[in-house]
Amino acid sequence: MHQVSESTKTETTRSAQTIVESASFRQLMHEKNTFILPAILFCLIFYFALPIMTSYFTFLNQPLIGDITGAWLFAFLQFIMTWTFCTLYNKKARSFDRLVEQIKEESR
């Protein structure tokens, strides 16, 4: 990449740089990262646990409720986990939206 001299930077570039360096933007990114990264890690581990456990272990083959085995229950819990995560993110996104509006107001 090449260096852009200060004289060729546009007003938009300067205002974007100002926004990125603001405390409100850093707070927004911190809050998003502290929510999203652990949630993604949990979802990935939970998702890949089923195929790994069914491939290498047999305890999920045991019937738990009638003919329903642990593997079926675990698979159903993945749907619940997905819906729960979507609901939590939807609620958390509202606070992200408030921070974005605050950043917009500060940049005017």
Side-chain angles (χ1 to χ4, degrees):
M1 296 182 78
H2 67 291
Q3 289 287 3
V4 177
S5 68
E6 196 64 35
S7 62
T8 61
K9 288 185 177 179
T10 64
E11 184 62 34
T12 304
T13 306
R14 286 189 205 103
S15 65
Q17 187 174 7
T18 305
I19 290 171
V20 169
E21 293 170 352
S22 72
S24 299
F25 185 80
R26 285 194 303 269
Q27 178 187 1
L28 171 67
M29 295 312 295
H30 174 73
E31 287 188 23
K32 284 181 78 171
N33 288 337
T34 55
F35 176 76
I36 292 172
L37 291 177
I40 288 174
L41 284 174
F42 172 77
C43 290
L44 284 173
I45 291 168
F46 194 78
Y47 175 78
F48 285 111
L50 179 62
I52 290 171
M53 287 193 305
T54 56
S55 296
Y56 297 107
F57 305 105
T58 58
F59 65 90
L60 287 178
N61 295 335
Q62 305 302 318
L64 296 177
I65 304 168
D67 290 334
I68 299 173
T69 63
W72 281 104
L73 185 62
F74 197 95
F76 179 71
L77 287 175
Q78 288 186 349
F79 285 100
I80 294 173
M81 182 264 314
T82 302
W83 294 328
T84 303
F85 174 71
C86 289
T87 303
L88 289 174
Y89 182 78
N90 189 23
K91 289 180 181 182
K92 190 70 174 169
R94 291 184 192 128
S95 69
F96 299 154
D97 290 343
R98 283 191 292 273
L99 283 171
V100 168
E101 290 302 319
Q102 178 183 346
I103 292 167
K104 284 180 178 178
E105 290 297 319
E106 291 173 0
S107 68
R108 291 182 187 174

